[in-house]
Amino acid sequence: MPTTSRIGFIGMGLMGAPMSLRLLKAGFQVSVWNRNPDKTQPLTHAGAIACNSLQQLAESSDIIMMCVSDTQAVEDVIFGDHGLCHNLKPGQIIVDFSSIAPDATQKFAYRIQQHHRCHWLDCPVSGGVAGAENGTLVIMAGGDDQSLKLVTPALNAVSQRITHMGPSGSGQATKVCNQMLVSCNVMVMAEVLALAEKSGVDASKIPAALKGGFADTIPLQLTGSRMVNNDFDEVKWHIKTLLKDLTLAEELASQAQGATPMAAMAKQLMQQQAEAGLADQDPANLIKHYRK
């Protein structure tokens, strides 16, 4: 679909707001809706159209995108009492950037196709807030290949790469695998940096020392320095989000009869942090656990 396509975007959180701004800058007409309408104001100042209801958004959009917190939030937005499903038009394409359960995604896609003659693409993203702001996210897509081709111009505005992983749910399953790597990485990173401090090493030099080597990762470069410098105030992502994704990994492993002991340990340690009151904090705070 060209930039004349009208886009509706649901969810003006850490990721949704900058993604919507990228779409506006690319020349798309963007309508926005958020459960808390105050969060749409920065977008309206940039040229977006604020919708008072999901009905209004559905009626004014060709492509409907969303980036919300979890599986239940997606279900509420689509199938709730005032959800999108009551106002969808045949041929509309729903693009879900949220990270949710793969099996639920398959059910949602089936219902949308069978009962509303619309298309569902699960397109979870990786790259964090920086990737959303810079348009450098990577997208793992599941769903119909033809529908994906139709929305690719819009997806290109927010991403550097789109990989079609297979049918509905495949994108979400890939994102679960991604988050297993990210979560285990950030947890062992906190462990390593705290150990370096206790061993008399200037841990602030570790990200630079390891840059370009086999141990280097984007989270190390973005979050490692924040850990050692106690830069905890700005929340760029949430511990509770990683915990949610590790729970999805546990469920997917159970369904597939797969063994995921490393992810299980990361979940256990992450749960301890959440119970200590850090659920809404940035993962940079995880180093506190190992400094004790």
Side-chain angles (χ1 to χ4, degrees):
M1 291 184 179
T3 53
T4 53
S5 298
R6 302 169 303 163
I7 295 176
F9 206 113
I10 299 165
M12 296 296 104
L14 289 173
M15 299 293 288
M19 291 172 77
S20 297
L21 287 173
R22 295 292 309 184
L23 290 163
L24 286 166
K25 290 177 181 177
F28 289 94
Q29 175 186 308
V30 182
S31 299
V32 294
W33 181 90
N34 194 76
R35 184 172 52 185
N36 177 358
D38 291 343
K39 289 191 174 183
T40 65
Q41 290 183 3
L43 280 300
T44 58
H45 293 159
I49 302 166
C51 293
N52 297 320
S53 66
L54 290 171
Q55 176 182 352
Q56 181 185 356
L57 183 135
E59 291 173 349
S60 61
S61 304
D62 304 307
I63 306 169
I64 300 172
M65 299 179 170
M66 60 181 164
C67 190
V68 296
S69 58
D70 54 29
T71 305
Q72 187 60 56
V74 170
E75 184 169 12
D76 291 344
V77 164
I78 304 298
F79 302 109
D81 291 341
H82 302 285
L84 280 174
C85 70
H86 304 293
N87 302 286
L88 290 173
K89 296 170 289 187
Q92 285 179 307
I93 300 175
I94 296 175
V95 180
D96 184 21
F97 294 121
S98 317
S99 297
I100 68 171
D103 57 344
T105 288
Q106 293 170 345
K107 294 174 184 176
F108 297 162
Y110 179 81
R111 288 175 66 180
I112 288 297
Q113 177 67 45
Q114 293 297 310
H115 300 294
H116 304 281
R117 289 182 291 159
C118 294
H119 306 282
W120 184 292
L121 294 169
D122 50 300
C123 293
V125 299
S126 184
V129 174
E133 292 172 343
N134 297 323
T136 57
L137 296 169
V138 295
I139 296 176
M140 307 144 236
D144 174 65
D145 182 61
Q146 187 59 37
S147 297
L148 182 61
K149 289 178 180 177
L150 288 173
V151 302
T152 292
L155 297 183
N156 284 338
V158 301
S159 70
Q160 60 174 301
R161 184 173 64 257
I162 307 158
T163 306
H164 188 204
M165 303 306 299
S168 292
S170 299
Q172 295 295 355
T174 305
K175 180 60 186 291
V176 168
C177 295
N178 178 87
Q179 293 304 89
M180 289 169 67
L181 288 168
V182 170
S183 300
C184 291
N185 184 10
V186 76
M187 187 60 73
V188 77
M189 188 167 69
E191 185 175 312
V192 163
L193 293 171
L195 178 61
E197 290 176 345
K198 292 182 178 183
S199 301
V201 173
D202 182 353
S204 66
K205 294 182 178 179
I206 284 187
L210 303 187
K211 190 172 184 178
F214 276 7
D216 191 22
T217 63
I218 292 175
L220 176 63
Q221 298 303 324
L222 294 180
T223 305
S225 60
R226 297 184 64 209
M227 285 182 172
V228 296
N229 293 321
N230 300 313
D231 181 11
F232 304 135
D233 292 339
E234 185 177 2
V235 179
K236 295 179 180 285
W237 44 329
H238 295 104
I239 288 175
K240 67 181 180 184
T241 301
L242 293 179
L243 184 57
K244 176 214 50 170
D245 293 333
L246 288 171
T247 300
L248 291 177
E250 185 178 63
E251 294 170 354
L252 185 63
S254 177
Q255 294 164 7
Q257 297 183 336
T260 55
M262 294 292 290
M265 177 60 72
K267 181 192 173 189
Q268 179 181 342
L269 294 170
M270 206 85 69
Q271 184 66 50
Q272 292 176 6
Q273 299 305 295
E275 292 172 354
L278 297 178
D280 291 310
Q281 299 303 310
D282 191 277
N285 286 270
L286 291 170
I287 195 171
K288 295 176 180 178
H289 175 81
Y290 296 101
R291 281 175 171 162
K292 294 178 181 178

